[in-house]
Amino acid sequence: MSQNIPQRKTDIGPPDYKQFLPPVIKKNYGQWAYHENPKPGVLMHVAKSGDRLYSVRAATPRLVSIETIRLFADIADEFTGGYLRWTSRNNVEFLLTDETKIDPLIERLHKEGYPVGGTGPAITNIVHTQGWIHCHSAASDASGVVKSVMDELYEYFVAMKLPAKLRIAYACCLNMCGAVHCSDIAILGIHRRAPQIDHTQVRSVCEVPSTVAACPTGAVRPTTVNGHESVEVIEEQCMFCANCYTVCPAMKLNDPEQDGLSIWVGGKVSNARSEPKFSKLAIPYIPNNPPRWPEAVNAVKNIVEVYAAGARKYERMGEWIERIGWPKFFELTGIEFTKYHIDDFTHAGESYKRSAHLRQVKE
Ligand code: SF4
Ligand code: SF4
């Protein structure tokens, strides 16, 4: 900022993050030389000055209570001078420079019931959305499914024994507040029928123009029912996204019988070794089965284990699938290939593989 312009005073937005950085990060900002994974859950960043920053990563329950946040703050005060951060996948990282405090810190976290891990070639905590606890348009629960999956995959969180990082994401509808479009494995809640319109309610709780405008596929049209303004849905155009339900509560989309989960694979954000990839459909539908969702848990575990057994070192899920070929992926995982795997979106043809060279390796 120019010296002549007075600093703007505002209460909008969060405070400047720089004031909260640990002194070692402030001192070496932008001057880091390399980093290593000394052991599961511990990262060591080394600055050009020789300074070292250790991050100890623990899984949080994702939806956390005030008591849990206070506990993490107390642990940070005790071991790291109060410095901690939350990662984008809902881990908590304690930031410290005193190497001798790492093991006592890990011991304390274990004593409080929090596993340490998720770094390097491991599964990190699952990023997830709001689910039944909060969002109106959820097709499934978020924290319940994720807790059930993570309980089963615990061994891959606390050890670095996978070929590469494995990122799992969860979103409870296809509006995808979670990063399901670009994760190695994604669990996505899906609705499977068009909204049911309560025409007696539309006039009192909805605004017809904004409801029509909310539909990304143009499936919602204004109409008149019994002499009153209302809306109709062209079902063939509906992709069950719930955008209309968000602005018009009289267009209920949730259905306890039809809603469920789908599983997607092969996405990644990183551009290391190969370009970033979108996740692709693996399993089109798994019914909701609370409280432990055994079908979804088994499906994810199966994909993780087949990948762990077959991928080369450093190979992400999508890279492994592209090397062996999608037919081989379906064969090895035992997942059925169905008509739902064929993209029938209007512009899908532009993304189709048009070459006759379909790669399939023999293993
Ligand atoms: S993913 Fe969909 S249902 Fe889940 S919190 Fe986001 S908008 Fe709501
Ligand atoms: S669910 Fe989505 S696609 Fe279907 S009518 Fe509503 S806004 Fe349109």
Side-chain angles (χ1 to χ4, degrees):
M1 186 180 287
S2 158
Q3 294 294 327
N4 301 327
I5 304 173
Q7 194 170 3
R8 190 166 152 244
K9 293 253 188 302
T10 173
D11 60 356
I12 300 169
D16 186 350
Y17 66 93
K18 287 200 179 106
Q19 64 187 289
F20 302 116
L21 293 176
V24 66
I25 296 184
K26 271 188 192 156
K27 180 185 163 201
N28 297 286
Y29 202 86
Q31 298 297 319
W32 298 93
Y34 65 94
H35 74 274
E36 290 175 359
N37 276 150
K39 58 182 165 182
V42 180
L43 295 166
M44 178 182 74
H45 285 83
V46 181
K48 290 176 186 163
S49 66
D51 289 347
R52 293 177 174 204
L53 168 72
Y54 297 95
S55 309
V56 175
R57 180 180 294 180
T60 76
R62 298 163 294 272
L63 296 179
V64 291
S65 65
I66 290 289
E67 284 77 16
T68 305
I69 294 172
R70 287 203 176 114
L71 173 68
F72 289 149
D74 288 344
I75 292 175
D77 281 341
E78 189 179 336
F79 291 92
T80 70
Y83 292 105
L84 82 172
R85 67 182 281 267
W86 265 262
T87 75
S88 58
R89 286 185 187 261
N90 303 327
N91 303 288
V92 57
E93 278 184 1
F94 296 89
L95 307 170
L96 64 165
T97 49
D98 183 351
E99 194 177 353
T100 63
K101 289 189 175 167
I102 293 175
D103 287 338
L105 169 58
I106 292 174
E107 202 178 311
R108 175 72 192 280
L109 286 163
H110 284 160
K111 191 166 150 253
E112 299 290 350
Y114 293 95
V116 172
T119 55
I123 291 176
T124 190
N125 212 352
I126 299 180
V127 58
H128 78 65
T129 51
Q130 303 172 80
W132 287 336
I133 200 158
H134 183 72
C135 192
H136 61 282
S137 58
S140 181
D141 192 24
S143 39
V145 182
V146 167
K147 164 74 176 149
S148 305
V149 170
M150 277 311 273
D151 280 354
E152 198 63 32
L153 298 179
Y154 177 85
E155 62 177 301
Y156 297 105
F157 179 84
V158 294
M160 298 193 289
K161 60 181 185 178
L162 286 169
K165 290 177 196 306
L166 201 137
R167 300 290 180 247
I168 304 181
Y170 179 95
C172 38
C173 87
L174 53 74
N175 284 313
M176 300 198 309
C177 306
V180 288
H181 61 297
C182 57
S183 289
D184 297 282
I185 299 178
I187 310 168
L188 175 64
I190 49 165
H191 300 286
R192 298 196 303 161
R193 62 145 170 80
Q196 308 295 296
I197 305 165
D198 180 349
H199 294 289
T200 62
Q201 286 289 312
V202 170
R203 280 182 74 211
S204 48
V205 297
C206 311
E207 199 187 44
V208 171
S210 58
T211 305
V212 171
C215 179
T217 65
V220 181
R221 307 278 167 84
T223 190
T224 304
V225 177
N226 297 330
H228 295 300
E229 273 188 10
S230 189
V231 290
E232 63 179 348
V233 171
I234 313 298
E235 295 208 0
E236 314 77 78
Q237 276 178 240
C238 178
M239 60 175 179
F240 322 134
C241 71
N243 270 7
C244 54
Y245 186 35
T246 301
V247 298
C248 176
M251 298 181 71
K252 191 169 165 43
L253 191 61
N254 313 59
D255 183 332
E257 299 298 324
Q258 295 289 321
D259 292 350
L261 299 165
S262 56
I263 309 277
W264 303 67
V265 294
K268 74 181 182 91
V269 176
S270 157
N271 57 10
R273 294 172 305 282
S274 65
E275 62 191 8
K277 301 176 199 306
F278 283 126
S279 316
K280 295 189 172 66
L281 181 66
I283 303 177
Y285 179 68
I286 296 172
N288 276 324
N289 193 0
R292 297 294 293 176
W293 281 271
E295 298 87 354
V297 171
N298 291 339
V300 173
K301 194 174 183 201
N302 174 43
I303 295 170
V304 170
E305 288 177 346
V306 175
Y307 159 75
R312 293 175 183 157
K313 199 169 179 193
Y314 302 125
E315 214 167 39
R316 294 284 294 264
M317 175 76 69
E319 293 165 337
W320 164 66
I321 296 171
E322 284 180 6
R323 177 172 61 78
I324 64 171
W326 283 92
K328 193 79 183 171
F329 167 78
F330 281 96
E331 185 190 319
L332 290 174
T333 54
I335 296 171
E336 187 189 358
F337 186 83
T338 68
K339 65 178 182 180
Y340 300 108
H341 291 93
I342 300 168
D343 192 349
D344 61 356
F345 176 58
T346 312
H347 302 296
E350 290 165 20
S351 64
Y352 282 170
K353 183 179 176 65
R354 288 152 197 262
S355 158
H357 294 90
L358 191 58
R359 191 177 165 81
Q360 173 145 0
V361 294
K362 300 225 178 313
E363 292 201 331

